[in-house]
Amino acid sequence: MKTKKILKNIKILRECKFIIAVLMIIMKYSANSQSNTNGGKSAEIKFKITIDRFLKDKTIPQLAKDLYQEKVKPTDNFGNIALIDSLNSTGYARGFYFLVITKTMKSSDGAYAEPLGIAAKEFVEKNTNEFVSYFINNPGLLCTDDLKNWASFVYSEIQISSEGSEQKAINDFKIKIRKNCKRLSKRHIKKANEFIQLTTSLSTF
């Protein structure tokens, strides 16, 4: 009798373990699915820019607003150059500053253009997902010409910093950007490849 009871208990225990294992797999799958879904939605929201609230925000420097609205042109004074550092800000207005910097690319030259090129290349390499997301999620604010301007500044920086080894630097840049895109969506990869193509097409090699 005791043997039968022990065997019965062992059987029940095994069944319980099996059920628990199945439940854990289901829960893990559900959690991953939910995480992926929410992550996608969060990315859409995070990198979608609403201009009006930034233009009304009194905490944002008037210079940044004027540059975005093209009321003034970028110069090499301290205020303009300091504004480039806003690309590295961690506040909620980072997306707005991205637009401001993008706007200045159309008419920048002189001493302002050099640090802008350095910052542009660094931003794309370190924040590839964010960079392509801005262009994907804000078609009314960013266009192909803007992407071309970014490509031009990045390429200029590659030229300046890699004189004599430009081709290697371009290849390294391509590898780094594509590596950063490995876990991104197909449309992110497509936009990143478009940017790479625009950048490398400027090379004479």
Side-chain angles (χ1 to χ4, degrees):
M1 289 291 290
K2 287 184 179 181
T3 303
K4 287 184 179 180
K5 189 175 182 179
I6 291 171
L7 291 173
K8 186 178 180 181
N9 289 337
I10 292 172
K11 185 178 180 182
I12 292 171
L13 182 61
R14 285 177 177 173
E15 288 176 350
C16 287
K17 285 183 177 180
F18 176 78
I19 293 170
I20 290 170
V22 171
L23 287 172
M24 287 180 69
I25 291 170
I26 293 171
M27 288 172 68
K28 184 177 179 181
Y29 177 81
S30 298
N32 287 339
S33 298
Q34 188 67 29
S35 175
N36 290 337
T37 301
N38 291 338
K41 289 180 179 178
S42 295
E44 293 289 333
I45 295 169
K46 184 176 180 181
F47 300 124
K48 195 167 182 67
I49 306 165
T50 306
I51 285 297
D52 289 344
R53 70 169 180 165
F54 295 116
L55 295 177
K56 294 175 182 177
D57 191 333
K58 294 181 180 180
T59 64
I60 292 177
Q62 189 59 43
L63 174 62
K65 298 174 185 178
D66 289 344
L67 284 168
Y68 175 75
Q69 295 176 313
E70 298 182 80
K71 292 180 180 179
V72 297
K73 290 186 177 181
T75 62
D76 58 359
N77 66 37
F78 177 77
N80 283 263
I81 293 176
L83 191 63
I84 295 173
D85 289 335
S86 62
L87 278 175
N88 299 316
S89 67
T90 56
Y92 90 109
R94 178 169 160 129
F96 175 70
Y97 288 126
F98 178 88
L99 288 180
V100 174
I101 296 302
T102 301
K103 283 271 188 178
T104 67
M105 288 179 171
K106 293 191 293 184
S107 54
S108 63
D109 55 20
Y112 175 77
E114 188 174 340
L116 181 55
I118 295 170
K121 181 174 179 288
E122 183 178 303
F123 184 86
V124 174
E125 289 180 331
K126 290 184 176 179
N127 308 281
T128 307
N129 175 30
E130 182 178 354
F131 175 73
V132 296
S133 292
Y134 282 138
F135 281 92
I136 291 171
N137 298 338
N138 303 280
L141 299 174
L142 294 162
C143 62
T144 301
D145 283 342
D146 293 319
L147 195 66
K148 287 179 180 178
N149 287 334
W150 271 86
S152 178
F153 271 89
V154 169
Y155 175 68
S156 293
E157 173 53 24
I158 290 174
Q159 272 189 313
I160 294 169
S161 62
S162 305
E163 188 176 356
S165 57
E166 183 183 330
Q167 189 58 53
K168 181 182 182 304
I170 289 174
N171 288 334
D172 289 344
F173 177 76
K174 286 163 60 177
I175 291 169
K176 183 175 288 187
I177 298 304
R178 284 174 176 154
K179 183 179 179 180
N180 292 345
C181 292
K182 278 186 176 181
R183 296 183 180 181
L184 301 183
S185 69
K186 288 182 179 179
R187 64 177 182 162
H188 281 73
I189 294 171
K190 182 179 179 181
K191 182 62 69 175
N193 282 331
E194 180 185 349
F195 179 72
I196 289 171
Q197 178 58 38
L198 288 171
T199 306
T200 56
S201 67
L202 296 169
S203 173
T204 55
F205 290 91

